[in-house]
Amino acid sequence: MKQIELIALGGCGEIGKNCTVLRQNQDLILIDCGLSFPTDEMYGVDIVIPDFSYLEDHRDEIRGVVITHGHEDHVGSLPYLLRQFPVPVWMSDFTRAIVEPKLGERLRGKKAEFHSFMPGDVFEVGPFEVETIRVTHSIPEACCLSIKTELGRVFHTGDFKFDNTPVDGHLTDLGRMGEIGNEGVLLMLSDSTGAETPGWGPSESVVSKTLEEIFAEAPGRIIVTTFASNIHRVQQVVDCAALYDRKFAVVGRRMEQNVEISNAKGYLKYSQDSRIRIGDVERHPDDRVVIITTGAQGEPLSALTLMAQEEYPKARIVPGDTVIISASPIPGNEALIWRTVNRLFSLGARVIYSRISPIHVSGHASQEELKMMMALIRPRYVAPVHGEPRHVVHYKDLARSMGYHNDDILTMDLGVPLVIDEEGPYLADPVPCGRVLVDSSGGSELSEEVARDRKHLANDGIVFVTVGIDFETGDIITAPDFIAKGFANGDEGLFEHVGEVLVDAIGSLNIVETRDVEAVQAEIRDLTRKVIRKRTQLRPIVVAVVLEL
């Protein structure tokens, strides 16, 4: 019996970490391979990537990876995947241009097989015929994917919106989408991030008007931060700088890299004499300068964050500066962003952000655009992806309003295979799936246990317990000694009580049990935790040391 299988390794029930397996017989491809950003409770974690354990058992079946566009939540995990599975990757020419240098830095000398395509191209990845369809988003060459399988066509929208006045002039290929709908589509996986936003999403042209108004009034320097990959937004800033006779400088390694690549490939246009080095900014009047920088998410080491901390040697925030944060917070980054905003205000800058001004528009489809995509593609089944549970629920409501029955609206959960055969869809048994935490060094993968320990250390501190035992007699030679760090103890008799409990417990052991050091240490840890938690409601890390005397 013919069947296909879809497995979300990331990107379902969450924002980011987008990665979907499409499997047919003994062949599979991956659609996107992204990362997400850590929450405030993931101490020392730099990024979060999908768990690729499922692929280990299907290593010989992987035919390649197809990327919809170049945002980090769709490409950021590629180096970690390619280290384990050196498979070919297909991505648009622009996406490859901005992604390949980053991959080269992280693959540690390993070579990868990359294939470029342009929107509209058709190519084969194993037994799958993949067609790319141009769609408007907040980055050039974003694509939907139409994938032919033996059971029917699977359509993946990627991230999209219907912008009739895009910055680069490239419109969504509505004609081809309508043709694909007429040809027949079995399943559509749809972006659902904007499913709770009514109406139609505003065009990028709205941002241009806002920028012009800000530029017209700004008395001094203008500092603009946005995603380094948002070349459309950078183009708008560059155009406004030219309109108001300002020179612009670019700060931040990734921003500089993307600007150079985009300019070389014709996606970012400006006269060469309009750009200056950051070191030359002070040679120009403040009201004739624009600085384009990284730091839209409050990243600790980004240029804007360092400026806000007065730690960036090449540029300092001074009263009269106007700082424009042209991006919306990624879930989990809010605290970092507001910390930076508050510091900028404290330094005397005027700060403009999306809550107070239309300085950013979403790259994701709102409700009417999602309904339009359903009307164009007319799939047999729809499945919302790229969204948190609330987005999924709203998308299902939209699908019902478009005439879909509950049985036609499929739910994809992380690690739960969605199987479609000739009799219809069903959910199979879960496969290994989860998240992998990557250390701030970018090279170490942390276990969930380490992450929990870091959380406990930050919240409740650590307690060291040392006990000396005579291994000949089993007697306690030195009573339990406690050292607490980061542990707020308001109970003066706590450790005295813990010591009494430990002495009683160790004293009840026979000589053979006493000589099992690991077991004694485990007993000390467990009892110490239990007593402390019972009396203080805190859960510090406990480290037990047994001295063999």
Side-chain angles (χ1 to χ4, degrees):
M1 180 181 290
K2 296 178 180 179
Q3 71 171 37
I4 60 172
E5 189 175 8
L6 293 109
I7 306 169
L9 300 183
C12 285
E14 62 183 357
I15 298 295
K17 199 156 62 69
N18 297 283
C19 186
T20 303
V21 173
L22 172 57
R23 186 167 182 252
Q24 171 183 289
N25 301 322
Q26 303 304 308
D27 302 283
L28 69 83
I29 60 173
L30 292 174
I31 302 171
D32 289 332
C33 191
L35 58 76
S36 61
F37 294 97
T39 64
D40 289 342
E41 295 184 346
M42 296 179 184
Y43 300 99
V45 175
D46 188 28
I47 60 172
V48 183
I49 65 175
D51 180 355
F52 298 122
S53 298
Y54 168 80
L55 299 177
E56 193 63 56
D57 294 333
H58 300 273
R59 175 182 291 272
D60 296 334
E61 300 178 8
I62 308 172
R63 303 297 169 242
V65 185
V66 184
I67 302 297
T68 59
H69 63 285
H71 282 151
E72 286 291 294
D73 59 330
H74 294 260
V75 300
S77 291
L78 270 177
Y80 303 93
L81 174 80
L82 295 177
R83 286 177 196 170
Q84 294 179 254
F85 311 98
V87 298
V89 181
W90 280 261
M91 47 190 158
S92 78
D93 185 56
F94 174 79
T95 301
R96 179 176 176 179
I98 64 171
V99 168
E100 196 168 3
K102 291 188 284 188
L103 291 176
E105 295 169 5
R106 297 174 182 174
L107 285 179
R108 300 170 183 170
K110 294 183 179 180
K111 292 185 178 180
E113 180 184 341
F114 298 123
H115 301 273
S116 298
F117 63 78
M118 292 300 294
D121 286 352
V122 181
F123 50 89
E124 293 184 352
V125 183
F128 304 98
E129 181 184 281
V130 181
E131 180 178 355
T132 61
I133 303 97
R134 186 188 297 278
V135 69
T136 48
H137 187 44
S138 54
I139 190 172
E141 293 182 2
C143 291
C144 302
L145 303 178
S146 174
I147 305 171
K148 287 186 179 179
T149 74
E150 63 180 12
L151 197 63
R153 195 188 302 260
V154 174
F155 190 90
H156 195 300
T157 69
D159 292 358
F160 78 97
K161 64 185 294 183
F162 292 127
D163 191 340
N164 294 323
T165 56
V167 173
D168 62 2
H170 294 297
L171 296 169
T172 297
D173 193 348
L174 299 177
R176 182 55 190 146
M177 288 182 179
E179 292 173 355
I180 289 173
N182 290 334
E183 294 167 7
V185 174
L186 174 67
L187 169 68
M188 181 172 76
L189 305 177
S190 176
D191 177 9
S192 65
T193 310
E196 58 188 351
T197 306
W200 297 81
S203 168
E204 275 286 328
S205 59
V206 172
V207 176
S208 291
K209 295 176 182 177
T210 304
L211 283 172
E212 289 180 15
E213 293 171 359
I214 297 170
F215 273 58
E217 299 175 353
R221 296 182 308 176
I222 298 175
I223 301 167
V224 183
T225 182
T226 189
F227 291 107
S229 59
N230 196 342
I231 299 304
H232 293 159
R233 195 66 49 79
V234 174
Q235 182 69 70
Q236 291 170 297
V237 175
V238 168
D239 291 343
C240 274
L243 181 65
Y244 288 93
D245 195 26
R246 289 176 179 258
K247 304 288 186 181
F248 74 91
V250 180
V251 176
R253 187 168 66 93
R254 198 63 68 196
M255 180 71 79
E256 292 179 47
Q257 189 177 67
N258 286 357
V259 165
E260 294 288 348
I261 292 169
S262 301
N263 182 241
K265 288 191 165 290
Y267 288 102
L268 182 63
K269 300 176 182 179
Y270 57 84
S271 62
Q272 293 302 315
D273 63 351
S274 66
R275 181 178 175 183
I276 59 175
R277 296 181 304 167
I278 186 64
D280 294 332
V281 165
E282 293 185 358
R283 300 180 183 179
H284 298 266
D286 287 351
D287 61 354
R288 289 292 177 263
V289 172
V290 177
I291 299 173
I292 305 172
T293 180
T294 54
Q297 296 301 306
E299 303 94 320
L301 298 180
S302 66
L304 183 64
T305 301
L306 294 176
M307 289 181 206
Q309 296 171 346
E310 300 184 272
E311 295 177 358
Y312 193 72
K314 297 180 181 179
R316 299 177 64 84
I317 301 296
V318 297
D321 286 345
T322 297
V323 180
I324 302 172
I325 300 178
S326 189
S328 59
I330 293 174
N333 290 352
E334 293 89 348
L336 292 174
I337 294 171
W338 298 126
R339 189 179 303 136
T340 298
V341 168
N342 287 328
R343 285 171 174 162
L344 292 168
F345 273 118
S346 297
L347 293 173
R350 176 193 180 201
V351 188
I352 301 173
Y353 43 94
S354 57
R355 271 193 190 177
I356 63 174
S357 179
I359 198 58
H360 174 73
V361 296
S362 175
H364 298 275
S366 298
Q367 290 180 356
E368 295 304 316
E369 294 158 280
L370 293 171
K371 289 160 66 175
M372 182 175 175
M373 181 66 83
M374 285 186 240
L376 285 167
I377 303 303
R378 302 191 302 283
R380 173 69 180 85
Y381 302 105
V382 294
V385 295
H386 199 299
E388 295 177 338
R390 70 181 191 275
H391 303 125
V392 172
V393 169
H394 283 291
Y395 185 91
K396 289 182 176 182
D397 289 341
L398 289 177
R400 282 188 281 268
S401 75
M402 294 292 289
Y404 283 91
H405 301 292
N406 288 334
D407 291 343
D408 303 325
I409 307 169
L410 308 181
T411 299
M412 290 191 65
D413 293 319
L414 294 179
V416 180
L418 169 61
V419 182
I420 305 178
D421 60 24
E422 293 168 343
E423 296 180 356
Y426 63 92
L427 299 178
D429 294 334
V431 305
C433 183
R435 63 185 185 183
V436 174
L437 309 179
V438 180
D439 192 85
S440 298
S441 64
S444 302
E445 297 178 4
L446 306 179
S447 67
E448 294 286 347
E449 182 180 4
V450 171
R452 286 195 299 271
D453 285 349
R454 288 183 174 182
K455 179 181 177 181
H456 290 163
L457 280 169
N459 293 334
D460 301 326
I462 186 169
V463 174
F464 296 90
V465 187
T466 305
V467 181
I469 299 177
D470 186 331
F471 270 48
E472 293 296 328
T473 65
D475 295 332
I476 297 176
I477 303 300
T478 59
D481 181 58
F482 300 89
I483 299 176
K485 297 293 183 182
F487 174 67
N489 175 29
D491 186 341
E492 293 184 1
L494 173 63
F495 289 128
E496 181 179 345
H497 176 61
V498 175
E500 293 172 353
V501 172
L502 294 179
V503 168
D504 289 343
I506 297 171
S508 68
L509 302 176
N510 60 44
I511 292 178
V512 175
E513 292 172 328
T514 303
R515 289 173 179 172
D516 187 345
V517 176
E518 291 186 2
V520 174
Q521 289 180 158
E523 182 73 4
I524 292 172
R525 284 196 300 270
D526 291 344
L527 285 173
T528 302
R529 287 195 193 104
K530 288 177 181 178
V531 175
I532 290 177
R533 186 172 185 183
K534 184 176 181 179
R535 291 185 56 153
T536 69
Q537 304 303 310
L538 298 175
R539 296 185 298 172
I541 299 293
V542 176
V543 178
V545 179
V546 173
L547 301 178
E548 305 173 27
L549 303 176

